[in-house]
Structures are given as C-alpha cells and as structure tokens.
Amino acid sequence: MKASRFFKGLYVSLVLLFLYLPILTLIVYSFNASKSRAKWDGFTFDWYLALFQNEEILKALYVTLAVAALAALIATVIGTLGAIGLFAMRRGPRTLFLSMANLSMLTPDIVIGVSLMILFLFAKLPLGFWTMLLAHVSFNVPYVLFSVLPKLKQMNAHAYEAALDLGATPWQALVKILLPEILPGVVSGLILSFTLSLDDFVISFFTTSEVQNLSILIYSMARLGINPTINALSTLLFVAVMALLLLVNRRSSILER
Amino acid sequence: MKTKGFAAPYVVWMLLFTIAPILLVLCYAFTDSSGQFTLQNFQSFLDPIYIGVLFRSIGMALLCTLICLLVGYPAAYFLANRSFDKKGVLILLFIIPMWMNFLLRTYAWLTLLESGGLIATLVNWVLRLFGAKEEVRLLYSYQAVLMGMVYNYLPFMVLPLYTVLSKMDARIVEAAEDLGANRLQVFLRVTLPLSLPGVFSGVTMVFMPAVTTFVISRLLGGAQFKLFGDLIEQQFLFTGDWNFGSAMSLVMMALLLISMGLMNRFGDKEGGGVF
C-alpha cells in the first residue's frame, strides 16, 4: 500500500513538473545576464529595467487592462439585463434568444475573430481600440448571461412583482430586490469576463490593427525568437496570477468557514 | 414578470455582433469576388493541399486529446482518491497554468526546445551517448507542435475528470469490492463508466481548441508547418481572399458542430457540463 502511494505521488509530481518546468525555466532565465540560452552569465535585473522602459509593452499593458475592464463592465450590464429579460419570457422566445448565446460560445475563436473583422471592415469602422472593445464585449456577454441565469432560477419568481405592488418603481425593484439576489452570479460573470478578456489573443488579433494588447505584442515578439524581456514580463504576470489566485482562494476559504 | 424589455440591449447586441457577422461569413462563402452566387470556394477547398492540412489538423488534435487523456486520467484519478492530504493545493496547482496567458505557455516551450535550450541540450546529450553524430533540431517540427498542444490543454482534461471522479460516491466502489470484484474489475466496470461524463467533457475541452489553433503551430512549427487555423488566418490577413476564407471558416464550424454532435450522442447529456 505504501509503495502504491509513493507511486501515485511520484506520478502526480511528474505531471506537475511537466506543467511547471517551462514556466520555471522562463523565470530563471529572466534573471540571466546573458542573452543566450546556453550559458548563465550571472544574476541581473536588467531585463526588468528594460521592461519598464519599453513604452510599447507599457502601452500594451494599458490597452489590455482598459479593454478588459471596460468590456467586463459593459458585458456584465448587458448580460445581466439580458438574463433578467429572458427569464421573464415564455419558453419559445427564450429558447430562441438563448440559442444566440449558445451559438456565440460554440463558434471557434478564430471564426468569431474573422467574422467580426469582416463586419467592422464592412461597416467601414477603422480597426483599433474600439473595435477590439466591441469584440470583447460580444464574446463576454454569453458568459455573464449563463452565470446570472441560474441565480434567477433559484430566487422567488414573484419577489419583483411584489415589490412593484408595494409601490416600488421598476428601477427600485430592480436595484433593491432583484440585484441583491443575483449578485453572486453577476460578480462571477464580471470576473470571468475580465479574465477572458485579459487572456484573449485570437479574437483581438483579428479585430485590431496597430493598437496591441499584451497577447498580440507577445505573439509578434515571440515570432522573432527568444527575447529576455518577454521572460521578465512572463515572470511578473505569473507572480500576479499566483497572488490573485491565492487571494481568491483564501477569501473563499474564509467565507466557507 | 414585467421585465422582458430588459433583454432588449442583449438581443440587439447579439444580433449585431454575433448573428450579423456569421451571416456575413455565410454570404462571402457562397459568393465570388464580384458578389455572384458560387460554390467555387468550397470546390477550391477540395484541393489535396487543403484537404491534407484539414486531415493533419484533425489527426493532431485527436492525438493530442488521446495523450491528454492517457496522461491526465491517472493524475485526476490519484488526486481524487483520498490518499493525498493537500488535495486542494494540488488541484490548484493544475489550475494555475490555465490562468497563465496561453501565448506565454507556448513561448515557454520555445525557450526549452530551441537549440541550446534545456530540453534540446538534454535530448542531444542523451543521443550523443548512443552515438549520434549530428545535433537534432527539436523546434519547428511536428513533435514540437504536438508537445505545445498537450502542454497547453492538459489542465483542461484533468480538471473535469477530477471533478467527476471526486464527486463519485465512494460507497459504490466499496460495494463492488465487497461483492468480490478485484481492483481492475472495479475500475473497468464501475469507476471508468461512471467517469465517462468527465471524459467526454475533457475530450471536448481539449479537442475543440486543439483543432482550431494557429498560434501553437506558428510559434513552435515555424512558417512551413500549417494547420487548418493557419489557412484561415492566412486567407484573411495575407491573401485577402475573404470568400475562400469564409468558406473555410464554415467548414471549420461544421467540423466542430459535427464533433460536438458525436460527443453528445456518445456522452451523457446531463453530465457533460462544458456549456
């Protein structure tokens, strides 16, 4: 029994090693003074300095965060209202409108990307920040919709009408009665949208031209080969993701208690 | 409820930015450059070069899915078995790479496989022990692209498998053992069938992105190595033939819908849970 436990531990460790070795190598090399991979020339922070002096990278970081934040907010409003509206509908129209969200989620990213590119160029919209934002909102909306809908199913269907009967305006009933009930779904939709936007490459790639987000910048840099500045950038992003996950994890484990 | 109107912005948005673009793709796919109806775009796709790329994409995605399943299933199975103390931490370790930007994950392999990189050096060192004279080039090959795919999508296989396996009622396994089944029988006739929903959802989550990727093939396979996604990208960004590109996009959508349909037929409709 002990041997089998050792074997299981070993196996899981090996798989984890496979998952982390590349990331760890990147981190180590981000401190390597030599630009070449083959040798270690001593410890340096030069690549980090270069990173913070590289305006292209800083601009891409700004674009990434701005698009992700705006897209998440807009998608959350549209998706939440959409979920509330769809929930009140009869089965027929609801299925019809839900299938639009399903279609969007089933469409491969590359097809969403090229089809939106056709649309924007067809409508004579210049590709850039705003078209990227429109595209991000579009692929985020279904995710918000599907995280809010289950919460609506859980709540009392008549609470909203009761509020109206008791003299609340529709706006008051929405904000004071409906929203608190579905808030967890709204928040998880918001977070999901934000992370999907941060990570997106394919759809952004087709819906912008000169304005680059981090993914596009990394892609264009990586196509030219190894660049130690990307290693530094990866290390910082990795640390940021770790910190965020630990934070979320700790918060949720505190809440569970 | 009197809240139906709230859906208006959603409906308008989806019509404008989901339905309209797909309709445009449909229009372009069935017309030529002067706007006349034609099936020529689909006929051009039947060229052996394109069909070859299509089959290579499907084959690689299938192989990648199989490897992910073979590697990921034992990992998920061991993790779900209660023998580890820090299960939560371990499963978190599988999730973290999913949160990394996937371009960085792919780029990381570039640094390992490049000549002089850690794995390239190691492999060549081992080969030299066995008497190899020339240095083997790892980057820009079929294997490199496959490696990149497996690396990128493995967590997407492990996670749904783990979810299903850890939710499984341990008493069923115990009952099978009490009734005299040996460990292999328990696995083949109880655990595996019960975990099939997780298998199907993992297979879907790996196969779908693997068959449509163009980034991994471009970064790890080089300019010569093409997958289906590369063809579409090329038509839109370099050749500028939107009609042919749209036809290929439709072929890709059809391919995905057919494979989804197959998965749903074989799989448990309740337990898939991807969408």
Side-chain angles (χ1 to χ4, degrees):
Chain A
M1 207 56 207
K2 257 205 174 133
S4 105
R5 207 183 143 166
F6 171 77
F7 171 75
K8 287 174 186 173
L10 183 72
Y11 184 83
V12 172
S13 317
L14 280 176
V15 175
L16 283 174
L17 184 73
F18 171 67
L19 285 178
Y20 282 89
L21 185 70
I23 301 174
L24 290 178
T25 321
L26 273 189
I27 293 178
V28 171
Y29 275 117
S30 76
F31 296 107
N32 185 3
S34 156
K35 200 171 176 165
S36 134
R37 220 114 288 269
K39 57 178 196 271
W40 177 262
D41 267 5
F43 186 87
T44 181
F45 277 121
D46 284 359
W47 307 120
Y48 290 87
L49 286 177
L51 178 68
F52 286 110
Q53 283 157 2
N54 187 327
E55 275 188 24
E56 217 181 3
I57 293 180
L58 293 181
K59 191 153 179 268
L61 181 66
Y62 165 76
V63 169
T64 309
L65 291 175
V67 167
L70 284 174
L73 280 176
I74 301 172
T76 304
V77 173
I78 296 177
T80 306
L81 289 176
I84 296 171
L86 290 195
F87 191 68
M89 287 178 187
R90 274 178 301 114
R91 205 188 163 82
R94 186 170 64 204
T95 315
L96 177 72
F97 292 138
L98 266 182
S99 64
M100 300 199 294
N102 276 319
L103 178 69
S104 162
M105 289 172 95
L106 280 176
T107 310
D109 280 359
I110 185 171
V111 178
I112 295 185
V114 297
S115 68
L116 282 169
M117 183 184 110
I118 295 182
L119 178 82
F120 293 145
L121 293 177
F122 193 78
K124 303 258 182 329
L125 288 174
L127 295 184
F129 183 88
W130 298 106
T131 47
M132 203 201 307
L133 180 62
L134 285 175
H136 279 231
V137 173
S138 310
F139 74 73
N140 281 333
V141 164
Y143 290 93
V144 178
L145 189 83
F146 284 117
S147 37
V148 175
L149 271 179
K151 295 288 162 204
L152 282 165
K153 276 177 198 151
Q154 283 167 15
M155 71 172 281
N156 185 337
H158 301 294
Y160 179 80
E161 282 176 351
L164 290 184
D165 288 346
L166 291 169
T169 65
W171 177 250
Q172 282 174 326
L174 175 70
V175 174
K176 293 196 167 167
I177 304 299
L178 217 61
L179 210 55
E181 291 277 330
I182 57 173
L183 200 62
V186 176
V187 171
S188 61
L190 184 79
I191 295 176
L192 189 59
S193 299
F194 186 72
T195 50
L196 284 173
S197 271
L198 277 188
D199 208 40
D200 178 67
F201 165 72
V202 176
I203 296 172
S204 312
F205 184 64
F206 288 102
T207 51
T208 181
S209 55
E210 276 98 51
V211 182
Q212 293 182 316
N213 66 7
L214 273 181
S215 301
I216 300 176
L217 187 69
I218 294 169
Y219 179 69
S220 52
M221 284 166 96
R223 278 179 76 177
L224 302 175
I226 308 296
N227 183 333
T229 324
I230 308 185
N231 298 344
L233 182 66
S234 320
T235 307
L236 290 183
L237 287 177
F238 181 68
V239 171
V241 166
M242 283 288 263
L244 200 72
L245 265 182
L246 286 178
L247 207 73
V248 169
N249 206 43
R250 235 185 105 175
R251 234 194 91 202
S252 61
S253 65
I254 289 171
L255 286 179
E256 269 165 30
R257 256 181 244 146
Chain B
M1 277 205 262
K2 294 153 188 161
T3 49
K4 283 179 209 167
F6 287 174
Y10 160 80
V11 172
V12 172
W13 193 281
M14 295 307 275
L15 282 176
L16 274 178
F17 296 111
T18 298
I19 307 299
I22 290 180
L23 288 181
L24 273 174
V25 167
L26 267 173
C27 283
Y28 272 102
F30 287 101
T31 51
D32 58 21
S33 51
S34 60
Q36 294 291 310
F37 174 83
T38 179
L39 288 176
Q40 183 57 42
N41 300 316
F42 292 95
Q43 273 165 10
S44 319
F45 185 73
L46 292 176
D47 188 290
I49 299 175
Y50 297 123
I51 292 294
V53 175
L54 174 68
F55 279 115
R56 167 157 46 175
S57 282
I58 296 176
M60 275 192 98
L62 283 176
L63 192 57
C64 162
T65 312
L66 185 70
I67 297 174
C68 283
L69 184 62
L70 291 179
V71 174
Y73 198 104
Y77 182 73
F78 295 154
L79 275 177
N81 260 324
R82 289 169 211 321
S83 47
F84 288 107
D85 307 327
K86 305 237 168 193
K87 238 181 359 184
V89 177
L90 282 171
I91 202 66
L92 192 64
L93 283 175
F94 276 94
I95 297 176
I96 289 171
M98 287 167 80
W99 281 57
M100 281 278 285
N101 187 305
F102 104 104
L103 276 151
L104 288 181
R105 278 183 274 156
T106 312
Y107 169 77
W109 278 94
L110 202 67
T111 70
L112 286 173
L113 297 176
E114 189 204 34
S115 167
L118 201 59
I119 290 186
T121 312
L122 196 70
V123 166
N124 278 307
W125 181 74
V126 172
L127 285 178
R128 225 172 299 131
L129 285 186
F130 288 99
K133 291 280 187 307
E134 279 172 44
E135 195 177 328
V136 178
R137 191 179 157 90
L138 295 180
L139 198 56
Y140 305 131
S141 65
Y142 178 89
Q143 288 81 357
V145 178
L146 189 64
M147 197 70 175
M149 283 185 176
V150 170
Y151 180 72
N152 264 299
Y153 305 130
L154 183 62
F156 295 90
M157 179 66 86
V158 174
L159 219 59
L161 284 173
Y162 171 79
T163 311
V164 168
L165 285 168
S166 61
K167 274 187 193 153
M168 199 155 44
D169 193 343
R171 286 171 300 184
I172 300 177
V173 174
E174 281 163 20
E177 281 165 354
D178 288 346
L179 292 169
N182 63 35
R183 291 176 72 181
L184 185 68
Q185 281 173 322
V186 171
F187 177 76
L188 286 180
R189 303 185 65 170
V190 179
T191 312
L192 187 62
L194 283 175
S195 67
L196 278 184
V199 173
F200 286 120
S201 105
V203 166
T204 315
M205 286 176 78
V206 172
F207 181 78
M208 301 289 157
V211 83
T212 61
T213 185
F214 72 95
V215 180
I216 300 175
S217 50
R218 184 61 52 82
L219 290 184
L220 299 178
Q224 302 308 311
F225 192 89
K226 285 201 173 54
L227 291 179
F228 198 18
D230 296 290
L231 289 182
I232 295 181
E233 186 230 350
Q234 211 177 20
Q235 288 307 317
F236 279 97
L237 295 187
F238 298 104
T239 321
D241 189 345
W242 288 8
N243 303 95
F244 189 33
S246 297
M248 286 200 283
S249 304
L250 282 188
V251 173
M252 182 183 268
M253 277 187 81
L255 172 73
L256 284 193
L257 289 179
I258 290 169
S259 39
M260 285 291 290
L262 284 176
M263 291 304 294
N264 276 342
R265 249 190 97 147
F266 290 128
D268 177 4
K269 277 188 187 106
E270 298 279 306
V274 192
F275 297 109

